[in-house]
Amino acid sequence: MSEILGYILSLAGIVLFGATIALLLSPLETLGWWAGWFGEHPQPEKPLDHPAVLNVPAANDEIERQHFVVFLDGIAKATGQNYADVQDFLERLARQLPDTVVLGDLFPYAVTNHPLTEHRPLSRFWRFALDLKLSGRPTLLGFSINIRNLLQVAVSADRRYGPIYHQGEARLILRDLLMNGYKSGSGVPITLIGYSGGGQIALGVTPYLKRILHAPVDIISLGGVMSSDRGLRDVRHLYYLAGSKDVVQRLGAVFFPGRWPILPHSSWNQLVRQGRFSSIPMGPIGHNGKGSYVDAQAFLADGSSFIDHTVKVVSDIICQHSPHLHDRELLYITDI
Amino acid sequence: METVVSFWQLVLEALLLEGSAFIDIQNLGRGSRIVLLIVFLAGFSEALGQSVVLFVSRVKPRRFVASLLLSAGLYAFSYGFWAFSIWLLDRLLFDSAQPFAVVARTVGLGYAPRLFGFLGFMPYFGGPVLLVLSLWSLLAIVIGVSISLKVSLWQAVLYSALGWLVLQISLRTVGYPLLKLTQLLRQRVAGVPMVSNKQELEQLLELSLSEVSNNEETSE
């Protein structure tokens, strides 16, 4: 018995040691980038017809786009390429909103936008981990991508490192928006869709986008794990989409004290009090994998697939903020 | 070798808040050296934990290390002042005849928990960890002062608090030029203007982002 206990304690010690080392190293990429320690990083060139950049007007297109959507994926993402289900979601959304530019080509967990699988000391390891992930087998190695990105969410939520991380991410989003036809000062609304940890990143970049582009910024959280970030003060409205089987999205309310009701003056509680927060129950949807918000093979009682339901809710919210787009009945949204 | 063993043994005992460590350090031949090493390493470790300010100010790697070493040196200096304040209070208020070295060794050993100050670098958990380490260190100092100066725990709390107060007041009055000098020294070693507050950082970040925006729009 004592042998087993000793084994468990040793294992816990190794895990704790590993977690501490990983945590200590996690801010280095952002801080080193800002300090210029790694030299000038050229932006990775993206193909003009990147599959996750949708509805971009052609050069001779006279029609002004009515809305811009930036999708910030969850912590499973390893490169600028999306997993098949997320790509499917973006394409369905783009079809639903033909006058809205949909940008889903960013890797939100590196201020350099460099994918994990290229130009990094551990890129071979990440390629191997990604292959395992794509094979569909749940392995610890495959999950290491999630852990690595989760630590970047911690960097984003840190009051010391957050501003630098968010500035780096805002820089990428800004570049993406301007390259794809956004006109600074035009007032065209921007909606950031943050899936899981992407929700936290969305909060952080909002003040920069709002101030530099003079644009209203809304956030749609898709099972987002979000802190009471100061960026909430600049969010026009936060739509919080949560499935009843999504346990992960509840973690934010537990681990970030600013979301506890005992701190009424926190940014989060002020947002709720000012009526800029809407919670939207999504039905029996889970966080990721099978039965997630972007699952095309799981269905609600009314027969619609989870992915279509999510597309409908998201597009309705976007239409609400772009009345020119579509004149249609909007979903009932519960304000809390 | 003996020093190495003594060092780790004493550190471990101090971390466990064992009173015997504060008695042993007084009887050890190289006690003062060990204490100075603890304080210097604690200073270096804590400076590393709070090095975000160096990154934000874009200090280059070599100067970054030099800045950490300078911080550790200044840290040891402030420790000396604190120990001196406690010793002086003991002497003036309670007419004690304890030599300065006794107080200096006690306070220095109490810095042992701060050896883990580098953990302050961790995102999100770093702040709370630093707070816990400070309280842990304070507790060690109070226990140590109580044992070394043979006073009650409450008297030891009073000594430590008053000693800290005297240090802070001195820094802001007679020690002000010294404080300015250290700031100048830090700046000189860093080799770049240091970002000293949140507002400055925000301005710097937004300015840098505006440049990106302008560049992109011009290139279109």
Side-chain angles (χ1 to χ4, degrees):
Chain A
M1 188 66 186
S2 65
E3 221 172 83
I4 296 171
L5 192 70
Y7 179 72
I8 292 170
L9 282 176
S10 307
L11 200 68
I14 292 168
V15 169
L16 191 69
F17 180 74
T20 306
I21 299 292
L23 267 165
L24 285 170
L25 295 177
S26 59
L28 278 180
E29 182 174 352
T30 301
L31 295 177
W33 161 79
W34 172 257
W37 282 19
F38 310 136
E40 279 297 311
H41 274 277
Q43 286 294 326
E45 284 305 318
K46 282 179 286 191
L48 286 172
D49 56 345
H50 193 287
V53 173
L54 302 151
N55 293 346
V56 175
N60 54 359
D61 195 344
E62 290 296 312
I63 305 162
E64 285 277 323
R65 289 294 182 258
Q66 301 291 331
H67 209 114
F68 279 71
V69 167
V70 180
F71 182 80
L72 301 169
D73 204 355
I75 55 172
K77 196 168 187 174
T79 69
Q81 298 293 330
N82 293 308
Y83 293 110
D85 52 359
V86 168
Q87 183 63 29
D88 188 16
F89 166 74
L90 294 175
E91 284 169 10
R92 288 177 195 232
L93 187 68
R95 277 200 298 274
Q96 190 80 0
L97 303 166
D99 295 333
T100 294
V101 175
V102 178
L103 305 171
D105 57 333
L106 291 175
F107 173 52
Y109 303 102
V111 286
T112 53
N113 203 28
H114 279 113
L116 293 183
T117 51
E118 285 168 42
H119 310 300
R120 289 171 182 271
L122 293 178
S123 47
R124 283 181 84 170
F125 169 80
W126 295 123
R127 273 200 294 275
F128 182 58
L130 183 61
D131 285 345
L132 281 174
K133 207 178 230 321
L134 289 171
S135 74
R137 275 179 298 161
T139 59
L140 191 63
L141 267 182
F143 192 68
S144 61
I145 291 174
N146 299 50
I147 296 171
R148 185 262 170 207
N149 292 341
L150 180 68
L151 297 179
Q152 295 307 305
V153 176
V155 173
S156 160
D158 187 295
R159 284 181 187 273
R160 299 164 299 169
Y161 308 136
I164 301 173
Y165 187 87
H166 298 145
Q167 197 262 12
E169 287 299 329
R171 180 185 284 247
L172 297 171
I173 295 172
L174 198 62
R175 182 173 172 264
D176 213 18
L177 284 166
L178 295 171
M179 273 174 61
N180 289 296
Y182 192 89
K183 301 271 184 291
S184 178
S186 64
V188 170
I190 298 167
T191 296
L192 305 173
I193 302 177
Y195 191 0
S196 186
Q200 168 60 29
I201 314 297
L203 291 185
V205 298
T206 297
Y208 297 108
L209 296 181
K210 185 185 168 191
R211 267 171 241 157
I212 302 292
L213 297 174
H214 308 287
V217 182
D218 300 295
I219 294 179
I220 298 175
S221 154
L222 215 52
V225 179
M226 307 156 107
S227 71
S228 175
D229 197 282
R230 283 180 59 202
L232 284 164
R233 296 177 194 176
D234 289 303
V235 177
R236 185 168 64 172
H237 204 102
L238 170 61
Y239 297 90
Y240 192 86
L241 279 55
S244 61
K245 290 187 178 173
D246 181 354
V247 188
V248 179
Q249 55 85 21
R250 292 183 201 148
L251 296 178
V254 176
F255 284 108
F256 297 116
R259 288 185 56 182
W260 299 349
I262 55 164
L263 296 169
H265 297 295
S266 72
S267 301
W268 184 276
N269 289 324
Q270 281 187 35
L271 177 94
V272 175
R273 226 177 17 255
Q274 289 164 2
R276 295 186 289 120
F277 176 84
S278 301
S279 175
I280 303 173
M282 293 293 285
I285 295 182
H287 191 73
N288 59 333
K290 283 182 183 168
S292 75
Y293 300 93
V294 289
D295 190 346
Q297 303 302 324
F299 300 89
L300 292 169
D302 67 0
S304 58
S305 65
F306 285 5
I307 191 170
D308 281 336
H309 181 58
T310 308
V311 167
K312 177 156 173 46
V313 174
V314 170
S315 58
D316 279 352
I317 292 167
I318 291 168
C319 287
Q320 195 181 25
H321 288 292
S322 305
H324 315 294
L325 282 181
H326 298 277
D327 185 18
R328 59 178 179 172
E329 199 183 325
L330 298 174
L331 280 180
Y332 175 69
I333 292 167
T334 327
D335 280 313
I336 63 164
Chain B
M1 192 63 191
E2 189 198 328
T3 311
V4 176
V5 174
S6 310
F7 178 84
W8 287 114
Q9 202 177 332
L10 279 167
V11 165
L12 189 68
E13 283 175 6
L15 289 176
L16 295 171
L17 304 176
E18 281 182 17
S20 57
F22 296 95
I23 297 167
D24 294 345
I25 192 76
Q26 310 298 345
N27 304 325
L28 212 65
R30 293 176 169 178
S32 295
R33 259 192 226 179
I34 290 176
V35 158
L36 270 179
L37 187 64
I38 289 175
V39 173
F40 187 81
L41 288 178
F44 189 84
S45 179
E46 221 163 82
L48 196 64
Q50 297 172 339
S51 58
V52 62
V53 67
L54 297 175
F55 279 108
V56 165
S57 306
R58 291 174 161 157
V59 175
K60 296 292 165 216
R62 276 188 188 181
R63 286 182 176 271
F64 184 90
V65 176
S67 297
L68 292 183
L69 289 170
L70 175 69
S71 289
L74 294 172
Y75 191 83
F77 208 61
S78 76
Y79 139 78
F81 266 113
W82 192 15
F84 182 73
S85 309
I86 294 175
W87 174 75
L88 203 63
L89 283 168
D90 188 40
R91 208 172 173 81
L92 294 177
L93 297 181
F94 301 98
D95 210 20
S96 162
Q98 288 281 13
F100 172 66
V102 171
V103 181
R105 286 184 180 198
T106 304
V107 174
L109 189 59
Y111 271 59
R114 295 173 186 256
L115 287 168
F116 296 102
F118 68 92
L119 294 175
F121 194 70
M122 289 192 294
Y124 199 69
F125 305 104
V129 165
L130 280 178
L131 184 69
V132 169
L133 290 177
S134 298
L135 292 175
W136 190 358
S137 169
L138 193 63
L139 198 61
I141 290 172
V142 166
I143 290 172
V145 167
S146 156
I147 290 170
S148 307
L149 300 185
K150 298 179 183 68
V151 293
S152 72
L153 266 182
W154 287 114
Q155 243 175 311
V157 170
L158 188 75
Y159 277 22
S160 310
L162 280 178
W164 184 82
L165 202 66
V166 168
L167 173 67
Q168 297 304 317
I169 292 170
S170 311
L171 279 177
R172 280 158 182 77
T173 51
V174 288
Y176 189 71
L178 205 66
L179 201 67
K180 280 280 154 199
L181 189 71
T182 58
Q183 281 172 0
L184 203 70
L185 205 60
R186 279 181 198 276
Q187 188 101 354
R188 188 61 67 85
V189 172
V192 287
M194 298 285 278
V195 177
S196 57
N197 59 48
K198 226 169 190 167
Q199 253 180 336
E200 273 181 31
L201 172 64
E202 287 292 333
Q203 280 171 0
L204 190 67
L205 292 173
E206 257 183 52
L207 186 71
S208 166
L209 209 55
S210 302
E211 284 167 9
V212 177
S213 168
N214 292 339
N215 289 346
E216 285 295 334
E217 283 182 317
T218 329
S219 67
E220 271 182 20

